[in-house]
C-alpha cells in the first residue's frame, strides 16, 4: 500500500485540522522534525517519513554524486515515489488541509514534489532548499503559499541559489514569503517563527 512506501511516524489530525508532512535533512530520520511539527499547528496530524537512500549511513530522500550535484534520475524516481506516498496519506484524511515543510535534503525532496504537483499542498515551508534544476512552470503554482528560509552564509545550500528559487516561484505566480538570517546552514528561531506564522495565517487556495 502506498502509505507504507516509507517508514514514517504518523499521527492522525483532530477533526478539520491540517495534516503536516515533515521531511528531515541528510543524516536525520523521521524523528528529527516530529517534535517541531507537533508545535506548529494546534491539533494537526503529522506524517514524518524517513529517507530511504543512504550516503555512508546517512539517510536521504534521493542520491547525489557529490555535494550539490544531484543524481537527477534518482531524484525523478524519489519524487514519483513520494508523490504516491503523499497522495495515499491525503486520501486517508480527505477534507483536511495539507501542509508540508522540510529542511535541507528534506526541503529539496519537498520542492521537487511541490514543483511537479503544487496541488498536493495548501502550504509549503522550504527551509534551506537548493533547487539545482530548471523546473517546469505549473499553472497550479499560482496563488500557492510558500515560505522559503535561508542563511546568507550557508556553505551547503548557498543563498544565491535560494534567492533564484524565490524569484522563480514569484515569477510563476506563487505567493512567496521568506526569512533570511546572517548565519549558515543551521535553523534559527526566526525561521521556526516564520514557519509557524506561515502555517497559521489566512487560508490559501485548496
Ligand atoms: C542535498 O543534497 O539535498 C543538499 O545539498 C542539502 C544536503 O546536504 O542535504
Amino acid at each position: 500500500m502506498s502509505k507504507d512506501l516509507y517508514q514514517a511516524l504518523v499521527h492522525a489530525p483532530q477533526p478539520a485540522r491540517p495534516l503536516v508532512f515533515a521531511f528531515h535533512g541528510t543524516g536525520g530520520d523521521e524523528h528529527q522534525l516530529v517534535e517541531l511539527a507537533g508545535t506548529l499547528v494546534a491539533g494537526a496530524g503529522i506524517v514524518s517519513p524517513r529517507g530511504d537512500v543512504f550516503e555512508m549511513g546517512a539517510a536521504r530522500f534521493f542520491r547525489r554524486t557529490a555535494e550539490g550535484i544531484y543524481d537527477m534520475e534518482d531524484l525523478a524516481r524519489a519524487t514519483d515515489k513520494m508523490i504516491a506516498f503523499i497522495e495515499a496519506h491525503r486520501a486517508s484524511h480527505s477534507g483536511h488541509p495539507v501542509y508540508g515543510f522540510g529542511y535541507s535534503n528534506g526541503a529539496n525532496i519537498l520542492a521537487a514534489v511541490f514543483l511537479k504537483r503544487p496541488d498536493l499542498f495548501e502550504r509549503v515551508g522550504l527551509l534551506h532548499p537548493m533547487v539545482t534544476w530548471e523546473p517546469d512552470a505549473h499553472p497550479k503554482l499560482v496563488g500557492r503559499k510558500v515560505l522559503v528560509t535561508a542563511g546568507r552564509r550557508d556553505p551547503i545550500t548557498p543563498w544565491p541559489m535560494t534567492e533564484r528559487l524565490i524569484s522563480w516561484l514569484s515569477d510563476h505566480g506563487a505567493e512567496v514569503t521568506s526569512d533570511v538570517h546572517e548565519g549558515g546552514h543551521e535553523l534559527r528561531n526566526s525561521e521556526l517563527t516564520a514557519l509557524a506564522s506561515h502555517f497559521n495565517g489566512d487560508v490559501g487556495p485548496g
Side-chain angles (χ1 to χ4, degrees):
M1 198 169 111
S2 298
K3 271 167 76 177
D4 300 329
L5 281 170
Y6 289 88
Q7 169 145 350
L9 290 178
V10 179
H11 302 294
Q14 288 175 15
R17 300 307 293 154
L19 185 62
V20 175
F21 283 83
F23 301 95
H24 66 80
T26 298
D29 64 16
E30 67 275 33
H31 297 277
Q32 186 182 45
L33 299 173
V34 81
E35 213 170 293
L36 169 63
T39 65
L40 290 171
V41 189
I46 300 170
V47 181
S48 181
R50 180 194 298 182
D52 59 351
V53 308
F54 292 90
E55 189 181 79
M56 291 182 290
R60 292 173 52 81
F61 289 99
F62 58 89
R63 296 186 193 287
R64 60 181 169 183
T65 53
E67 182 81 64
I69 315 278
Y70 302 153
D71 175 338
M72 295 308 290
E73 212 172 286
D74 194 59
L75 177 57
R77 171 206 62 79
T79 304
D80 288 343
K81 181 174 176 180
M82 191 59 80
I83 287 171
F85 175 79
I86 293 164
E87 278 180 325
H89 281 277
R90 270 188 76 106
S92 300
H93 298 290
S94 79
H96 293 254
V98 175
Y99 301 169
F101 75 101
Y103 169 59
S104 194
N105 184 246
N108 296 332
I109 187 65
L110 176 57
V113 166
F114 178 65
L115 290 165
K116 190 164 180 188
R117 288 288 309 279
D119 56 301
L120 287 180
F121 292 98
E122 277 68 51
R123 287 168 206 221
V124 158
L126 303 174
L127 315 178
H128 299 253
M130 183 167 69
V131 170
T132 58
W133 66 97
E134 190 58 40
D136 292 327
H138 194 300
K140 290 200 170 153
L141 258 182
V142 176
R144 295 276 151 190
K145 291 184 189 302
V146 187
L147 168 72
V148 183
T149 75
R152 276 185 214 282
R153 295 181 179 79
D154 190 331
I156 295 169
T157 55
W159 163 239
M161 301 281 297
T162 317
E163 202 175 19
R164 197 181 71 161
L165 176 64
I166 291 172
S167 303
W168 190 93
L169 287 166
S170 307
D171 292 348
H172 289 83
E175 218 180 281
V176 189
T177 49
S178 60
D179 183 82
V180 184
H181 60 67
E182 294 304 316
H185 200 56
E186 76 280 8
L187 279 177
R188 290 198 174 177
N189 276 342
S190 63
E191 294 172 83
L192 306 185
T193 305
L195 183 61
S197 309
H198 181 60
F199 280 177
N200 289 286
D202 295 338
V203 175

